[in-house]
Amino acid sequence: MTDMHMGDQTVRYDREATAAIYAGLEGGWAEDCLCAGCRNLMAQRDAVYPSGFRELLNRLGIDANKETEAVANGPLENGLHHYGGWFFFVGEMVTAGEGISEVSDSRYFAYFFNRIGPCPKAFRGGPHLGIEFIAHIKWILDDHWSSDLRPAAESPSRF
Ligand SMILES: [Zn+2]
């Protein structure tokens, strides 16, 4: 395992073990989900993740196109859409810190190491850690963002 410092956080990671797991994964969460929010992310992953974040994922052995989970939280007042998501890797937390790293060379994008999150089966057999991100993303699909949200449950018919 190799140590990495990011802001006030320190983690230990195994790049080769992580890369081997990603090589065996077919795609990211978005490819499985295919809701409008996920398709909007898929359509612009290259633009959404700043280069510094991509370099970090690469250093950890993570495939940037295979997020563990992504959540589209809807539009912000500025017209962008709020997203959150996770990538997991083989590693462990050394110092949790307070830490959140913001990247300023793009629209709002922040990330931090987090023990909590939706860890996929492939990582549960050994030490694992998540990297969580928060992003403000443009809506670039023709479909409306809420076009395939599930309607609220209706009361059962009494007839
Ligand atoms: Zn989705």
Side-chain angles (χ1 to χ4, degrees):
M1 295 249 215
T2 310
D3 279 16
M4 178 194 288
H5 307 285
M6 191 178 80
D8 65 351
Q9 298 191 293
T10 304
V11 301
R12 216 162 263 155
Y13 65 99
D14 183 334
R15 183 180 199 280
E16 282 184 17
T18 299
I21 290 175
Y22 275 91
L25 300 177
E26 278 186 26
W29 168 272
E31 276 79 9
D32 282 339
C33 177
L34 292 177
C35 73
C38 285
R39 283 184 284 117
N40 185 57
L41 173 65
M42 278 164 64
Q44 54 179 331
R45 277 186 181 120
D46 286 351
V48 166
Y49 301 134
S51 57
F53 184 67
R54 293 187 153 273
E55 280 164 25
L56 171 65
L57 296 183
N58 182 47
R59 198 168 143 200
L60 294 167
I62 294 170
D63 182 334
N65 291 316
K66 296 179 180 175
E67 68 284 332
T68 300
E69 191 169 326
V71 182
N73 296 312
L76 298 157
E77 278 181 17
N78 63 10
L80 297 173
H81 282 246
H82 187 283
Y83 276 70
W86 295 265
F87 291 91
F88 270 76
F89 61 96
V90 178
E92 57 196 17
M93 192 82 88
V94 179
T95 310
E98 305 276 325
I100 184 158
S101 299
E102 275 183 43
V103 181
S104 55
D105 65 345
S106 64
R107 289 183 293 276
Y108 182 81
F109 190 92
Y111 53 92
F112 51 99
F113 293 110
N114 196 347
R115 286 195 190 93
I116 300 163
C119 184
K121 269 191 206 144
F123 290 94
R124 284 182 211 156
H128 54 262
L129 196 59
I131 181 160
E132 183 167 344
F133 67 86
I134 301 158
H136 295 178
I137 296 177
K138 275 189 199 165
W139 192 265
I140 61 168
L141 298 186
D142 289 334
D143 307 22
H144 190 261
W145 67 273
S146 65
S147 60
D148 55 4
L149 291 181
R150 286 195 192 93
E154 290 173 42
S155 347
S157 166
R158 297 281 176 197
F159 295 112

